[in-house]
Structures are given as C-alpha cells and as structure tokens.
Amino acid sequence: MPLPWMSRFVYGVGDGLTTWDLTLPIRPWRRVTATIGGSRTAAGGVPASHVVRRDFNLAVTLRLYESEMEDLAALIEWGQSAEYFLWYPDSNDLTTAYSVYLEHPVAGEELEEERSDEFPSVIEATVVLRRVQPYPWPLEYFACEDG
C-alpha cells in the first residue's frame, strides 16, 4: 500500500482538467488562521475591533523531485490566477477533497524551495491553501487509528 499523505491536486476547466499526484508524502501541515479586519484602542483604553472574515489556511510543505517542479509550477500558475482547485490531502482516500485557493505564493511572491536535509535529491516547497468554505480544517495528520 502506498504511503499516506501523498497529495493529489486537480485543477483546470472541462476537458482541460489536470491531475497531479505527488510521488512523496507531504510534511505535517501547520494551521494558519488569518483574520481580515482591524482593532483599535481608544484614548480611554477601551478596545474595539471588527472582523470581516476569518480564513482557515494550511501551510503545506510539499516534497518532490526536481522532475516534478514543472508540475508544481503549473499548479501555482493556476492558483495565482485566483481560481480554486481541488486538494486531496491523501491520494489513497479519494473521498476526501477540499476546494481551495492558493494563498501563498500569490502573484508577485516567490516560491521558496530548499533541498531536504535528509534526502538531497528531494526539494521541499511550502504552499498555503485556503478553504473555499469558511470552516476550520477537520484534518489530523497524526490521527490515531484506534480512536
């Protein structure tokens, strides 16, 4: 059986759909919750704030070979056009997919990549994904099998 957390991405329109299955598992993700709004404190010390939107993002470190960099570049190009795409966290489970936007790198930002310390032939690059639906992620990277 393949290793868990080998992600799949599906993007495009109609007959032009592209499916990309990573060949290596992703690293454990980090939750990044961003709020859009503001906060001020009055001269008397009373705080006030307003929240317009709360985004539930995941910073996902992809692990890939150099031969897969073209696939990553195509995914980023799609995501930077402000189009959503499907992310399957684990391609072994095609019943769990999320509609996501690319939050990083957006147009004008560089993708930071580096070689893995453990495996020099592997490149690691972190992308930030935002759910289309405004709900927290129900994912657990290290979920217990026996509950």
Side-chain angles (χ1 to χ4, degrees):
M1 177 172 170
L3 292 171
W5 304 122
M6 292 171 51
S7 290
R8 169 180 282 188
F9 295 94
V10 179
Y11 60 94
V13 178
D15 292 337
L17 282 180
T18 299
T19 300
W20 176 38
D21 289 318
L22 274 75
T23 56
L24 296 170
I26 61 175
R27 292 249 182 234
W29 49 71
R30 291 180 295 108
R31 285 177 169 75
V32 181
T33 304
T35 54
I36 308 300
S39 175
R40 302 210 57 175
T41 302
V46 178
S49 69
H50 68 283
V51 175
V52 176
R53 187 179 83 221
R54 187 175 315 278
D55 293 336
F56 299 97
N57 301 336
L58 277 186
V60 179
T61 301
L62 309 176
R63 300 171 67 240
L64 53 147
Y65 295 109
E66 282 186 83
S67 60
E68 296 175 284
M69 289 302 291
E70 190 173 317
D71 296 316
L72 177 58
L75 174 69
I76 289 172
E77 181 179 347
W78 177 264
Q80 287 180 341
S81 67
E83 297 287 346
Y84 78 91
F85 52 92
L86 290 178
W87 175 53
Y88 295 83
D90 187 351
S91 61
N92 296 316
D93 175 15
L94 297 181
T95 64
T96 303
Y98 298 94
S99 297
V100 298
Y101 290 109
L102 182 67
E103 286 291 299
H104 175 78
V106 293
E109 291 180 338
E110 290 186 25
L111 174 68
E112 297 173 13
E113 58 185 67
E114 58 185 45
R115 295 221 177 255
S116 168
D117 291 334
E118 301 141 311
F119 305 103
S121 64
V122 173
I123 294 174
E124 296 185 354
T126 300
V127 296
V128 177
L129 306 176
R130 175 172 58 94
R131 290 186 69 179
V132 170
Q133 300 81 8
Y135 306 115
W137 293 89
L139 294 170
E140 291 184 48
Y141 192 92
F142 297 106
C144 295
E145 295 281 330
D146 54 11

